[in-house]
Each structure stands twice: as structure tokens, then as C-alpha cells.
Amino acid sequence: MKRKLILFILAAIFVAVSTSRASQRDRMQKIVDVALGKYHTLCLFEDGRILSFGNNENGELGLGEFFLGERYISPFYIQVPIKFVSIASGYFHSLAVSEDGTLWGWGDNSSCQLINSERNFSKSCIESEYNIPVIIDSGKDWRKVFADGFDSFGLKKDGTLWRISDMYQIENPKGRKWKNIIVQADGGGDDYKLYVILEDKKGEIFTYGTCNEEKNTLSCFSVWRSEKGDSKILLPLEIPPETSDLWMSDFSGVFRKRNEIHIWGMTVTDENEIKKKFKSMFSDIRKSEEIFADWMLKSKKKVKIKKSKKIISGNFMWSFACIGGTEFNYSYTACLQNDGKLIVWSNGKTYTSDSLKIRDIWGNNGIFAQAEDGKIYVTGYNLFNRLGVDKSQEEFLFLELFDF
């Protein structure tokens, strides 16, 4: 009995020291980035702290052993005495870059997405998971991180791009430095679902692990396998001139051209038509890519927006069943106007934030929006409490207040 009491006291001390739950005053803190993984989410605040919540079965929340293996975790701050400047979430792992340029990671490491044994790539990974943040690389030259389902990537300050599991450099075909990782659709997936758009210093766009041949913007992205051997393909992507704010996912896309927003795919297709398209694709796999490309090319919509601040696009759900089922993938495009109004297009419907004045938005597998008064609103499916609201059921929420 005495031993159990001591263990209980030590556990209580551990929680008090290693975790810090978000408070009401944190609503006034400005969010600088949000990374939505499959079942967990990271929020990066302007003071460099990371708030994590959702599923923690693999330690992807970075909260230590006390919460390891738990689901539906409410928002807690990761207790590391440093300031972070970049974050990313994969299926079951997380990444971050600290203010001094050090690369950090935690969560699942079964595919070496965090670190490889002594950088000897013939060996297996050191650990299957890390439940607290660990240093992956102390070189102090990292600028930005991003992740797919079971992989990790980092952009260095010198403009070089690296696949972290084996520190493989993804070189620009034209010998240029990389400027930005524009979007990695869906937060990841299996080998055939890695969608990455890269922008180089000259503003040219390339796809990585997406197209198996050169295609135009509207038909490039597909759910089908896109590898040749074991290497990913890096190809240029044709985009219209004067294009900005390019976002693409496996079933939808958007870009801005002057005062027009161009949207295509599931975002502008109503639910009944989506079901018909997928039934056609699954009924004849040989023609599926042709059907898909035709769908993407014909499902275009132009929306005139005089002044837009930010555009994002992504999916609300990770899986779908179109044959004999009622549940299927929901895609969206969201536009934040300069006046703070948020417009969301999803599966042929349009939603607005009405009287809310939104400061900023972030997307991928849902939408996070911070209002001018600091309050946080979410849109999407609350799988494993990954949206941070205090509800255990996996329901769809539209612009529901984030409840610390």
C-alpha cells in the first residue's frame, strides 16, 4: 500500500512538472501554425510553445509516459524549455524545428520517420516510438518541417530539401534551391498517397511522388500508385500564368489568379455526383484514371473575390465507402477575405462564418480558424478529439468554438 501511494505521488508530480494544460488566457495568444495529423493535432503559438491534443497511442503528443496509449487527450502544452518555429504531423508522429535550427521529433518511429539507428541504414530503427520530443539532428540549420503518413521531410536554411529517414537530399532537376513546400495533401498516407508540391527560387512548381508522367494542374493528382521502382518521381507541374495560392489534394484543388479563385474536384461536386463518379471508377479499374482526369478537368468553378487574405484546401475525412455505403470523403476549399469573413466550399455547398471576424486559418484534414478576439474555431471530424473540443464522439463540427 505504501509503495502504491509513493508511485501515485510521483505520478502526480510528473504530470505537474511535465504537462501544462491550456488556460483561458491562452485564447489571446496568437497561433502561427497548426499541423493536423491523422488523429492528432499540434498548435504552434507565437511564443514558441506547442499545444498538442487527440490520439496519443504512439506518443505523438509528446506528453511523456503518463498519457501514453491514451485516446481523446485534451489540449496540453509540450514541456520543452525551448522555442519552436515550425511543426508537422504525420499519421502517428510529430516533427518540429526549434528557434536555433535544431530538428526535433516524437511519436511513432516504426518506419524510421524520426531517426535511424546510428544513421546506418542497413539496421532497423533504434526505437519503435518516443513519447517525448527528442533531437533528430542538432545541426542548427533547419528551417521548416513537414510530414506524410509514415515519412518526414525538412527544408534547410540553405534551400536544400531532405527526406529525414535516410537523410536523402531531394535535388531540384534544374539545380536550383528550394523556396517552399507548398502543400502536402491529406497529411500523408501510404506509399501511393504522398502528395507534395515544391516551389523553387524561380517560382517553378514541381511534384514529388504524385504524377507518373507530366500532366497539367487539374489532372495530376490521383489516388493511384505513382512510383517507378523504389524512387519517388520529381516532375515539373504546369500551372497557369500569374497563379498564386496553389493548393492541391487527391480529389480537389484551388489556385488564385488576380481576383478570381479557381476551384475543381470534389469541392465543387455535389454528393450524388461524387458517388456516381466513384462507382464508375471502381467498376472499371482500367478506365479509372481516365474517368478521374476527365472529372477533374470538367469540374471547374470560378469565384470572384476582390480581396482575399489566405486560401487553403484539403479533406475532412480520411476514408470513404462509395459502393453500398453512405459515408465518403469530404473535400473543401476555404478562403479568408481581408475583411475577416471566412467562406468554405465543400461537396457542392457553400458556408460562411457570418458575423465572425477571422484573423487566420490553417487546413489539411480540417480547418482551424482564429478569430480577431483570439478565440479558436474548428471545422471537420473530431476523430479521437483531434479538433481539441471536449467531446469524445467522432462527430462533424462546423465552426465550433475550441473549448480549452
Side-chain angles (χ1 to χ4, degrees), residues 109 148 157 214 240 252 282 322 360 397:
N109 189 42
D148 86 307
K157 296 175 182 178
E214 291 191 34
S252 297
F282 286 123
C322 296
D360 204 349
L397 307 169

Side-chain angles (χ1 to χ4, degrees), residues 133-277:
V134 296
I135 294 176
I136 297 176
D137 189 275
S138 57
K140 302 186 184 303
D141 54 355
W142 297 93
R143 181 169 71 86
K144 188 176 181 179
V145 285
F146 70 110
D148 86 307
F150 302 99
D151 221 333
S152 302
F153 299 83
L155 189 62
K156 289 190 175 184
K157 296 175 182 178
D158 62 3
T160 58
L161 180 64
W162 300 80
R163 186 172 61 210
I164 293 171
S165 60
D166 54 1
M167 284 301 171
Y168 169 78
Q169 183 177 349
I170 302 171
E171 297 185 2
N172 187 298
K174 297 187 178 181
R176 302 180 187 139
K177 299 299 184 183
W178 296 110
K179 177 183 178 181
N180 193 23
I181 302 162
I182 295 180
V183 64
Q184 174 270 316
D186 285 349
D190 302 323
D191 290 340
Y192 55 87
K193 293 194 69 178
L194 172 59
Y195 305 101
V196 182
I197 303 176
L198 306 172
E199 181 183 16
D200 68 14
K201 292 290 186 179
K202 291 288 186 179
E204 287 198 47
I205 305 297
F206 293 82
T207 66
Y208 175 77
T210 55
C211 302
N212 54 13
E213 59 184 58
E214 291 191 34
K215 299 179 181 179
N216 64 35
T217 307
L218 301 183
S219 62
C220 175
F221 280 52
S222 167
V223 297
W224 316 114
R225 183 169 295 278
S226 58
E227 292 183 286
K228 291 180 180 178
D230 295 325
S231 61
K232 299 291 183 182
I233 304 156
L234 193 62
L235 292 171
L237 180 66
E238 297 176 12
I239 61 173
E242 301 182 65
T243 293
S244 60
D245 292 327
L246 173 65
W247 277 72
M248 295 179 70
S249 63
D250 43 4
F251 299 114
S252 297
V254 60
F255 64 82
R256 179 171 58 180
K257 185 176 181 180
R258 298 191 185 95
N259 64 337
E260 286 185 338
I261 296 176
H262 296 244
I263 314 170
W264 67 90
M266 286 181 63
T267 298
V268 294
T269 308
D270 65 54
E271 296 182 5
N272 290 330
E273 186 63 24
I274 291 171
K275 291 178 181 179
K276 291 180 182 178
K277 293 293 184 184

